[in-house]
Every structure is written in structure tokens, then in C-alpha cells.
Amino acid sequence: ADAYNLIFTTSSALKNKFSAQTKRAFFLPNAADLDIFSTKTDHIPDEIKSLDKPIVVYTGHVDWRMNIDLMTDVISKSPNLIFLFVGPVSISQASLTVLKSYSNVVFVGTRHLKDLPGYLYNAACAIIPYKLNELTNSIYPLKINEYLATGIPVVATPFSEDIKMFADVISLANTPEEFIAGIHASMHTNSAEKANQRIHRARQNTWPTRVQQFWQLVNDEIGSTQSEVSV
């Protein structure tokens, strides 16, 4: 780590790891493209036009991060909800077969980023059901700010310190029962005020803001280094 002037990390866990070796490690997490996600669309994707139950949506890669056991339990106990997965899938065929065996599960496959708002704005809740382990503890999920930019409720597992930083605007759940309760509570208590709070948080996490933070850190470091040299 000492071979580098500056180290930027996308999660606080990684920042803490490198901070043990250098004082020049900084946390600069993912952000959202608000031009895409903050503009409400009236478009209803074909795959969900016929769905007649509240939609719980997950966007992104369905992979090793997802807690399949938790999701299977949540889905099986929530026949009054539709679970929509938008994105590529790379879990085992056995796990995929189990999830697809439920009539309230819909997989639509990979979609372009610009098409995601069509699914999010037609959903009642968005989820991030990740496992809790050493690898997920280093994740600041890109999708959290995309979700929040649309104003819809979010339920997630407390998989990292970074996701816990959003606890004031999302619901965190450890068990299937807590996850189900979080989905229903967030849907039934949703309001324009809560939606605006979520949108406001997302507006603090845009890519232009991240660029400003990057250059501020770089310029501060340059100034600090020059001061040390002049002394």
C-alpha cells in the first residue's frame, strides 16, 4: 500500500483494511445516474403488464451474493406478492429450478440500464437479499442509490457497514420473517414524505458528486504533500 500515493475504495470495509497500512486510503463508494432513475416513467414493461399482485423487485446479477435459502423462504410464505428478478443469473441450476418452481416468481433476464426504471416504478418494494459473510461485508451496492432515486421502499439484509448507513431510509432484516414483515410494513406505511426522503438521500450520491469528492481528496492530498516538502 505504501507504493501508492492515494488509495480509493468502494466500501468502508476495504478502506479500513488499507488504513491499517497507510493513512492515504479513502472511501469513495458507488453512486447512481439520477438522469436515468429519478425521472418517473409511465411505461409498463410487457413482462409485468398482466401481473395483478404487488411486485417486489430485485435488479442486478442473481449470483453468489444472494441468500437463496432466505429468498426461498420469503417467496414460499408470500403468495400474495410477485417477486421479479431483472438481470443475469449465475446461481446453480438446482437453486434456479427451486426459485422458478414458485408461481409468484418472474425472471426477465438481462435488461439495459435505461430500461430498469420501467420495472422499479411499477414495483411496490425493492430488495437486496444478500448473504452475510466476509465478502459481502465489503460491498457498497450500486443498486441502493438507483432504488432510492425512484422513491420506492427498500428492504435489505444488513450485509455490510455501508448498507447499514442507509438504515434511516430503508428496512434491514436478518431472518425470513423479518424480511417479510419489512416488505409489508414498508409498502403499507409508504408515503410521499418517505419517498422524498429516499430521493433526497440518492441525490447525495450521484456520479458528479463523487467526481467532486475525488478531486477534493486529490487536491487536499497534493496540498498536504507540498506542505510537508516545504517544511
Side-chain angles (χ1 to χ4, degrees):
D2 289 336
Y4 301 93
N5 295 103
L6 293 170
I7 295 176
F8 293 97
T9 70
T10 55
S11 78
S12 56
L14 290 173
K15 189 259 185 183
N16 292 337
K17 175 183 177 180
F18 284 107
S19 291
Q21 305 170 51
T22 177
K23 294 180 180 179
R24 293 171 177 173
F26 301 96
F27 176 43
L28 198 71
N30 287 314
D33 190 335
L34 260 64
D35 289 340
I36 294 176
F37 289 92
S38 64
T39 302
K40 187 171 185 178
T41 175
D42 294 325
H43 172 67
I44 302 176
D46 291 339
E47 301 95 338
I48 63 176
K49 285 182 177 178
S50 63
L51 301 181
D52 57 358
K53 299 175 183 177
I55 296 172
V56 176
V57 64
Y58 172 89
T59 64
H61 205 154
V62 180
D63 58 13
W64 61 268
R65 297 168 298 179
M66 183 170 289
N67 188 330
I68 301 298
D69 290 339
L70 179 142
M71 281 311 304
T72 301
D73 209 354
V74 169
I75 290 167
S76 66
K77 294 176 180 177
S78 307
N80 57 329
L81 300 172
I82 297 291
F83 291 84
L84 178 70
F85 297 90
V86 184
V89 178
S90 62
I91 55 175
S92 70
Q93 187 58 50
S95 294
L96 182 59
T97 298
V98 169
L99 291 177
K100 284 186 173 181
S101 70
Y102 294 98
S103 60
N104 60 332
V105 170
V106 177
F107 283 89
V108 301
T110 302
R111 291 293 181 270
H112 193 279
L113 189 69
K114 66 180 178 58
D115 295 324
L116 297 186
Y119 297 97
L120 292 171
Y121 278 105
N122 286 288
C125 181
I127 57 173
I128 312 179
Y130 286 172
K131 298 175 182 176
L132 276 62
N133 57 38
E134 185 177 355
L135 291 175
T136 58
N137 186 52
S138 296
I139 293 176
Y140 179 110
L142 177 67
K143 64 177 59 51
I144 183 60
N145 289 305
E146 296 175 346
Y147 287 171
L148 293 175
T150 68
I152 65 172
V154 180
V155 180
T157 52
F159 54 88
S160 70
E161 292 305 312
D162 296 328
I163 198 66
K164 292 176 186 177
M165 292 192 300
F166 291 90
D168 58 323
V169 289
I170 70 173
S171 296
L172 295 174
N174 280 291
T175 66
E177 291 72 26
E178 289 178 358
F179 212 89
I180 294 169
I183 291 172
H184 286 286
S186 62
M187 290 189 330
H188 296 151
T189 63
N190 196 22
S191 65
E193 180 182 2
K194 288 184 177 181
N196 286 334
Q197 289 174 348
R198 300 177 192 117
I199 293 169
H200 177 72
R201 177 62 69 85
R203 286 176 177 165
Q204 299 172 28
N205 296 299
T206 64
W207 289 117
T209 298
R210 289 290 184 265
V211 171
Q212 291 176 356
Q213 292 170 339
F214 171 84
W215 284 115
Q216 183 64 54
L217 289 167
V218 170
N219 290 330
D220 286 349
E221 180 61 25
I222 291 173
S224 174
T225 302
Q226 289 176 340
S227 295
E228 290 175 4
V229 171
S230 63
V231 171

